[in-house]
Amino acid sequence: GRIDVVLIDINLGHSLSFDFARELRVRAIPFLFLTGYDAAMLPDDLAGAPYISKPADRVRIVSALAGLAE
């Protein structure tokens, strides 16, 4: 089935998720960054992407994802 929304961390261990986020954007799949990095770390083309800083409580994360899925 179709992916409704994606939650991604910026740091994936051996690489960063920016290319993945760009591909999601091309496919019109909403996404949310959840990360310990500062928002200033986002490249210019992703600077307006939804972003939540860690640590974040579950209610805030679920609410943000639900808002993107609408």
Side-chain angles (χ1 to χ4, degrees):
R2 174 155 166 78
I3 297 171
D4 296 318
V5 65
V6 177
L7 178 66
I8 44 178
D9 197 336
I10 288 176
N11 186 341
L12 299 177
H14 297 290
S15 64
L16 302 177
S17 63
F18 300 139
D19 288 338
F20 178 58
R22 289 179 183 109
E23 183 62 27
L24 291 170
R25 189 172 270 172
V26 166
R27 295 176 185 226
I29 299 171
F31 63 91
L32 168 70
F33 285 114
L34 175 66
T35 186
Y37 287 107
D38 185 84
M41 169 101 179
L42 295 174
D44 289 342
D45 64 321
L46 295 172
Y51 173 95
I52 295 179
S53 295
K54 288 180 184 177
D57 65 88
R58 178 178 33 207
V59 172
R60 183 170 178 214
I61 296 167
V62 170
S63 176
L65 291 171
L68 289 173
E70 293 178 341

